[in-house]
Amino acid sequence: MPRILPQVLRNLFRKPATVKYPYVRVEPPDGYRGRPVIDVEKCIQCWLCIQACPVRAISVNKETKKPSIWLGRCVFCGECAEVCPTRAITMTKEFELTTYDIQQAKSE
Ligand code: SF4
Ligand code: SF4
């Protein structure tokens, strides 16, 4: 008997490791890096986040003079949150970011 057969039989009756997303939802684990969010009240305009961002996804909002993240460019590395001295940037667990509205592709 081929040695693979017992494994094939075991896997035939095993529960699937995947879930039927989006009908079944799974909470991302702690430390997951989803949408970065800026608490502008905490921002002291040091611009360390702009320097740290490897893909230049952060720019200065001309109206508020605070940083703004362009999610279309963000690679969710978390560097901006890491360097922020006031912890104004948080990596949330939000990952469903597809939108038809270009304004929603910004995180402020
Ligand atoms: S998570 Fe990374 S890529 Fe996204 S804005 Fe922050 S530093 Fe830039
Ligand atoms: S690193 Fe933090 S405090 Fe500095 S500009 Fe960015 S968000 Fe503001």
Side-chain angles (χ1 to χ4, degrees), residues 53-55 58 69 74-80 91:
C53 181
V55 291
I58 310 176
I69 299 173
C74 176
V75 294
F76 308 95
C77 65
E79 285 295 316
C80 52
M91 301 303 288

Side-chain angles (χ1 to χ4, degrees), residues 38 43-49 67 84-86 88-89:
I38 304 173
C43 178
I44 56 170
Q45 295 160 302
C46 67
W47 312 131
L48 284 175
C49 53
C84 180
T86 60
I89 304 179

